[in-house]
Amino acid sequence: MSQDDDPLISVITVNFNGKSFLKNLFNSILNLNYPTEKIQMIMVDNNSTDGSVEFVRKEFPWVEVIPLKENRGYAGGNNEGFRHSKGRYIALINNDCIVDRDWLTEMLSIFKQPADYLNAGAVGSKVVFYYSYLPFQLITSGIGQYKNKERKETRRLGVRISDLKVINGKRSNIASGTLDENVKYLDGFYSEELDRNGNIYRWTKDNAILAVPVADSDEELKLSFKASSYISPNSLQIVLGEEIIKDIKLSRRPATIKVQIPKKLFIHCRDIINSCGIKVNKSFYSTDRGIGSIDEGQYNQIEEIFGLSGSSCMIDRKMLDDAGYFNESFFTYYEDIDLFWRARLKGWKNFFTPKSVARHFHCGTDKEWSYDFTYHVIRNRLLMIFKCGWPLLFIRCYLAFVVSGLIHTLYYLVALIRGVRQKRIDIPVRIRVFWELFYLLPVNLMKRIRIRAGNRVKDKIIKSWMRDF
């Protein structure tokens, strides 16, 4: 039963070939602690080819489906949803998410307290990764010093981990890939590397934390991987909580390690944070607050933040009418920071509330640091700074982009001459963006003039949100 003061809320999700995620999302929307007759559910489909539109129209006829004839990205898709929305408040949710029962009500509660949250334009929820995780500690008894003469660096190497497999009931294979692909290397690991056969491996630094997803709490979890040590002999302890699960002797020769975790140890499962809002640094790179950290209540306060993750948030329509919609030329990535920066310049504020929770597969329909991902991240950040920022900020960031591009390209060419092949997607992307900016900056000049002329907030307020990270 709805209350008279329950406002109509439009919920928008943008979909592109995400059929496998939609059942979970819409079922979680149906389970919300909010009257269904006061929810306008909109799915904007970016010309999917996996039968998403037909599936939703058949299984969830209460969802308003807006099929587009082309893929207009996250920005264009949501803008189309804005134009069809009827609610005073508009909630955005990624198609690869599910939401807790109080997801809407907790965000809405901020807007209902204007005395405490004056000029609230948007509210974001706590976004955690889809699964709960078992955080295993990998403790080695010895660390070796490795000197790389070509890179002129010294690394502390412990144990080399490769060929990791996770089995947990019938749901080991999921829509966003295998459970193996959802493992999180939280702490104490170097970046992934490739051996001569193209297989991925990682070195631990000192002690490391390996977070393994639990898909089915009714089934035991089995974990297997290959491990070897930089120094020989060596030992590796696998610890969960305060219990030593396995104590292994290692050498330079890879050994296959198998670990079986009984259900009683699932009491150690923890959520891992995807986003508790967005923070920016002095070069206006953005990152999610808390990303990759175990949720231990460190973000359990309602607070004002610079910007919100577009994966899960609620926006006051008045803010959109004032600051404008997403910049469709961005397609995807940084379009949310661009919008919230423009809104801040107009005097609107953004808040984070921890009791509103969404669970997110993350990059369920896109691959992080793919060519398209890298292109849009690099290009859109510079365009955003050009449109919204003060002149010296853009000049500094543009020069840094050019110089770093030259340095990265030089290192890449030197490595090629020495016979070392590297997978560097960013090199052709940097070159492409460099030339495109000669066209894109003049095209966006009028947008910059309008945004900067309409400022109600001084740049020193924006600067106060810059953080070192």
Side-chain angles (χ1 to χ4, degrees), residues 260-306:
Q260 190 161 335
I261 307 299
K263 292 184 290 182
K264 65 179 182 179
L265 293 182
F266 290 176
I267 60 171
H268 297 292
C269 281
R270 297 290 184 270
D271 285 333
I272 296 177
I273 294 171
N274 182 185
S275 178
C276 289
I278 301 294
K279 59 183 179 180
V280 294
N281 68 10
K282 293 179 181 179
S283 296
F284 254 87
Y285 285 101
S286 68
T287 189
D288 294 284
R289 295 195 317 152
I291 186 168
S293 61
I294 296 172
D295 186 4
E296 298 176 318
Q298 66 271 46
Y299 295 99
N300 273 5
Q301 299 294 322
I302 296 173
E303 54 188 317
E304 184 184 353
I305 54 178
F306 179 81

Side-chain angles (χ1 to χ4, degrees), residues 14-16 45-47 68-79 94 326-336 338 365-366 370-377 379-381 383 387 432 440 444 447:
V14 175
N15 178 68
F16 176 66
D45 188 82
N46 271 324
N47 198 25
L68 303 181
K69 295 182 179 180
E70 60 181 352
N71 185 352
R72 289 166 53 187
Y74 178 88
N78 273 305
N79 284 355
N94 273 18
F326 289 119
N327 188 326
E328 293 198 23
S329 68
F330 278 31
F331 193 77
T332 188
Y333 302 117
Y334 273 99
E335 75 293 317
D336 45 5
D338 174 73
T365 54
D366 194 8
S370 63
Y371 180 91
D372 284 345
F373 178 100
T374 306
Y375 167 70
H376 286 107
V377 165
R379 185 198 69 166
N380 292 352
R381 170 183 158 269
L383 283 180
K387 292 194 303 100
R432 176 182 173 183
L440 291 172
N444 283 273
K447 291 181 180 179

Side-chain angles (χ1 to χ4, degrees), residues 193-339:
E193 301 175 62
L194 297 177
D195 63 18
R196 294 178 180 178
N197 297 319
N199 299 313
I200 296 173
Y201 66 90
R202 291 176 185 262
W203 281 103
T204 64
K205 300 176 183 178
D206 294 293
N207 299 333
I209 298 178
L210 180 75
V212 178
V214 176
D216 192 339
S217 59
D218 293 326
E219 297 284 345
E220 292 186 340
L221 184 144
K222 297 178 182 178
L223 178 68
S224 69
F225 58 90
K226 290 182 178 179
S228 59
S229 173
Y230 183 70
I231 62 173
S232 181
N234 201 353
S235 66
L236 171 66
Q237 286 186 337
I238 303 176
V239 180
L240 183 59
E242 296 182 355
E243 183 173 343
I244 299 175
I245 304 299
K246 212 168 185 73
D247 196 339
I248 311 149
K249 301 298 181 184
L250 291 178
S251 65
R252 286 181 176 268
R253 185 173 182 177
T256 299
I257 312 300
K258 294 185 178 181
V259 183
Q260 190 161 335
I261 307 299
K263 292 184 290 182
K264 65 179 182 179
L265 293 182
F266 290 176
I267 60 171
H268 297 292
C269 281
R270 297 290 184 270
D271 285 333
I272 296 177
I273 294 171
N274 182 185
S275 178
C276 289
I278 301 294
K279 59 183 179 180
V280 294
N281 68 10
K282 293 179 181 179
S283 296
F284 254 87
Y285 285 101
S286 68
T287 189
D288 294 284
R289 295 195 317 152
I291 186 168
S293 61
I294 296 172
D295 186 4
E296 298 176 318
Q298 66 271 46
Y299 295 99
N300 273 5
Q301 299 294 322
I302 296 173
E303 54 188 317
E304 184 184 353
I305 54 178
F306 179 81
L308 308 171
S309 169
S311 61
S312 175
C313 65
M314 183 183 288
I315 302 172
D316 190 328
R317 181 180 295 277
K318 290 182 179 179
M319 189 197 87
L320 289 176
D321 291 341
D322 190 19
Y325 292 177
F326 289 119
N327 188 326
E328 293 198 23
S329 68
F330 278 31
F331 193 77
T332 188
Y333 302 117
Y334 273 99
E335 75 293 317
D336 45 5
I337 312 301
D338 174 73
L339 171 59

